[in-house]
Structure formats: structure tokens, C-alpha cells
Amino acid sequence: MSLRNAFSELFGLVPDLVTAAPGRVNLIGEHVDYNDGFVLPFAIDARTYCALRVREDSRVRIASKQAGGEIYETELAELKPLTGPNWARYILGVIWALEVKNGVEILIDSEVPSGAGLSSSAALECSVAIALNEIFTLNKSLPQLARLTQRAENEYVGVPCGIMDQSISLMGKSGHALLLDCRDLSTRQIRVDFANLGLKLLIIDTRAHHALVDGGYAERRSQCEAVAQTLGVKALRDVTIGELEIARMKLPEVNFKRARHVVTEIERVSLAVKALEADSFEEFGKLLNQSHISLRDDYNVSCAELDLTVDAALNCGALGSRMVGGGFGGSAIALIREGDAGKVASNIERAFQSAGFTTPRFFDSLPSDGAQVLN
Ligand code: ADP
Ligand code: MG
């Protein structure tokens, strides 16, 4: 059943509009968004859809097909951070952050796998934000919506995420990755033409989800902040590797390693852009590999499933491979020759089977457009 029909059946009236916002994959620049660094994500084909109708009163009624389809109801005046069922907070948080003055009804449906590191959360938030911005003529720019949806996730949901996911879900462009400066949100679209060069970006959802996720992320953020403070800078973005080496003695060894990942990763993003612009995919692949090693050894956010995926992909001729997202599970990417897709996937599958891990899932996607109003 179409989302419009499902909406009518659930709420008794047709929606005023339907929007869509994509998930994302980050090519390179991992764990640098909250250090004011540069990232290079692209929007994937898979989208979250939001059907919305404005009410005459101040009632808020929301449902998601991925959360059982039951309506959760509240009042605008009752919206308060960290309240409501977890799935509902992502939607309520956006209504709250955008200071909506009318009641609404919302039904969500999504193709973005949840918790796979492809940012279903930002896809959800941005589909709602675009809908509210359009229907209430809020005239917010895309960077403004990125900040507001981030605020929704930080404060209302209670997840201390950076600005990358919302930015790319809103600003993605087909055929391009987005070079995003996480400090001022300035952007540059970088052409990424894998297909024309006979290449493909394989996305592997390891389906592992280790308990460390939440605590581990917060811990690393505060380690980065501590180093920035010791060095007297606003964020690690303002530090060169030379300056970091000089300060090494002043830092706990583990914090030094965390910072070394961030500083070298930011440098790799700029090298990766140069490699893409020159169609040097061998070079680009090497940067992906270095990123993985740095995340694994200096940032310590990989896990057995992610390392096995990367090794199995490289053993099968991948040009480069790395874990993506927060880590401790989730997804990895591998840049491969188009004809090798089957071979690489079955090699990874075999490796998982031998290790006794859950069977992984495979996706691939070309860089696709950001959030849109569909009618
Ligand atoms: P990721 O963003 O990598 O997919 P997160 O843990 O950040 O993982 O976000 C997943 C959470 O977002 C889910 O547990 C759920 O609460 C919420 N969510 C995402 N998509 C939907 C959806 N379509 N319907 C309801 N809740 C969703
Ligand atoms: Mg998320």
C-alpha cells in the first residue's frame, strides 16, 4: 500500500504532503565531525518517507511503519526533551526544534535499515524537517535545518551526534559526494563517478552491534575535547600533526592516539578529494585503508566483524575498504571493480560463516539526491 493510502487509512484524511530524505554513507572523514573537521559523505538511494497533515488544533499524532504503526499522541505544549518512546523522540524532537505552532499528523515509512550505520535517524529527522519547513513556510535554509535537526537528536533524543548525517541527508546531490566543513557548514560538491570508471562502492552491514556504542562514542568525544583544551585550541581541527607530536609528553598516551586519528583523518579527507578530482582511485583506495587502520589502532572503534570484512574485501582485490560510522559494529565500505561484486560478497560471507558471525547484508548505491518534497 502506498504511504498516502496508509496515511488515509490510519488518520482518516489524506496527507497535505509527502517528503523523502536519504540515508548516507561517509567515504572518508570518520569521527571528525565533532572535531570541526571535514567529512565526505554521499546520500544513498534508500530513503525515509514522511506523510504529513496539518491539524486545526495543537494535537500531535505520529506513527511509523517501522515502529509497529501504532499512533503515539501528545500535545505541542507537552513536548519536552527526553520524553516519549525512543522512536517517537526523533520526530517530536524535530517538531520541538522547529517550534511548530500547529498540531500535525505524521506517518513514516523507510527503506533505510535502522542501526546499520547508514543514518536512518538523520533520514527520519530530515524527512520531517523538510515537511514542516515546506508546509509552514518556515523558510529555513538547509544548513539551518541541519543545525535544528542535530539539536533535536542531541537534546530531545539524547544522542550526542555531530552535524554530518543531517547535512548530507539535506544537501546530497546525485553523482556527488559532499565535502562538508563541519565548523561553518560550508560545502563543495565533489563529483564521484565510480560507475564510469567501472567501479562500485559496496556497503556491507556486518549486523554486529556491540554494547560499547553509546559509552564509547561519548568517551572519545571527551578525550578529543580534553586534548583540544590542553593545546589551547577550539577543536582538533586547529592542530597540525607536528604540533600534536610536540605536545605528546603533556598528554595521556590514549588521548594522544585519539587525537592522532582525528588530525591525520582530516588530512586524509583533503587528500581523498584531490584523488577523486584526479580520478586516482588507487590512491583513493589507499586512503580508505589508512583510515581503517587509524580507526582500528588509534581510535579503537573497530571490532572483529568490521576487521574481518575489510580483510576479506582486500584479499579479493578491493582497491580500498574501511569501517564507516561510529564503530563497534555497523557497516563497512569497499571500493571494488564492478565485475568483482559477487566474488567479494561471497568471500566476506564465507569469512563470516567460518568465524561464526551472523550473515552480513550487502547494499550498493550511487551518490543520490538529498531530501525532497515529493508533491
Ligand atoms: P542509524 O542512524 O545508524 O540507523 P541510530 O541508532 O542513530 O542508527 O538510529 C536508529 C534509531 O532511529 C532507531 O532505533 C529508531 O529509534 C529511530 N528510527 C530510525 N528510522 C526510523 C523509522 N523509520 N521509524 C521509527 N524510528 C526510526
Ligand atoms: Mg544515527
Side-chain angles (χ1 to χ4, degrees), residues 295-362:
L295 287 159
R296 185 190 66 194
D297 298 344
D298 272 354
Y299 224 60
N300 293 130
V301 287
S302 191
C303 64
E305 291 86 347
L306 287 166
D307 291 341
L308 191 63
T309 304
V310 168
D311 289 345
L314 293 177
N315 283 337
C316 251
L319 284 82
S321 181
R322 70 174 197 89
M323 56 155 285
V324 294
F328 311 111
S331 296
I333 55 174
L335 184 65
I336 58 175
R337 294 188 178 78
E338 225 161 13
D340 287 350
K343 189 175 81 175
V344 175
S346 56
N347 199 41
I348 295 172
E349 229 159 17
R350 236 187 341 259
F352 269 57
Q353 207 163 30
S354 309
F357 296 153
T358 309
T359 312
R361 284 186 296 185
F362 300 93

Side-chain angles (χ1 to χ4, degrees), residues 23-228:
R24 62 95 188 97
V25 63
N26 187 22
L27 287 174
I28 195 158
E30 209 64 79
H31 281 282
V32 303
D33 62 348
Y34 53 82
N35 290 295
D36 281 2
F38 292 82
V39 293
L40 192 62
F42 70 70
I44 59 174
D45 299 327
R47 253 137 243 280
T48 296
Y49 299 86
C50 168
L52 179 145
R53 193 180 77 84
V54 177
R55 291 175 58 91
E56 317 260 281
D57 58 13
S58 54
R59 204 93 195 121
V60 175
R61 303 177 79 215
I62 62 173
S64 165
K65 289 199 186 181
Q66 283 68 47
E70 299 284 308
I71 298 174
Y72 176 79
E73 273 199 59
T74 183
E75 278 289 321
L76 279 178
E78 292 194 346
L79 295 182
K80 199 168 127 244
L82 306 175
T83 61
N86 195 264
W87 67 269
R89 291 182 188 185
Y90 293 84
I91 303 168
L92 301 174
V94 175
I95 297 172
W96 167 82
L98 268 60
E99 300 179 344
V100 169
K101 305 278 186 262
N102 280 81
V104 286
E105 279 162 349
I106 287 175
L107 177 61
I108 300 292
D109 195 6
S110 180
E111 305 156 348
V112 186
S114 170
L118 300 176
S119 204
S120 68
S121 58
L124 172 55
E125 291 149 9
C126 294
S127 71
V128 174
I130 282 282
L132 295 171
N133 195 45
E134 172 78 11
I135 205 78
F136 294 120
T137 333
L138 302 176
N139 293 319
K140 305 276 189 211
S141 67
L142 297 179
Q144 281 175 325
L145 289 179
R147 297 260 190 230
L148 289 162
T149 45
Q150 181 198 17
R151 180 160 181 237
E153 185 157 341
N154 289 168
E155 295 180 31
Y156 206 102
V157 186
V159 174
C161 64
I163 191 77
M164 170 171 73
D165 299 351
Q166 292 82 4
S167 300
I168 182 61
S169 184
L170 291 162
M171 297 181 229
K173 185 169 169 215
S174 140
H176 295 75
L178 184 76
L179 176 63
L180 173 73
D181 180 337
C182 296
R183 173 162 280 168
D184 65 8
L185 298 195
S186 60
T187 59
R188 220 172 98 208
Q189 298 284 355
I190 307 295
R191 216 171 58 89
V192 174
D193 206 351
F194 292 138
N196 231 346
L197 290 140
L199 300 173
K200 188 175 219 168
L201 193 81
L202 187 65
I203 304 167
I204 308 103
D205 173 11
T206 65
R207 302 179 69 193
H209 190 77
H210 296 293
L212 244 115
V213 182
D214 304 330
Y217 183 87
E219 187 187 17
R220 277 155 190 76
R221 277 190 79 135
S222 60
Q223 288 165 330
C224 291
E225 280 158 23
V227 176

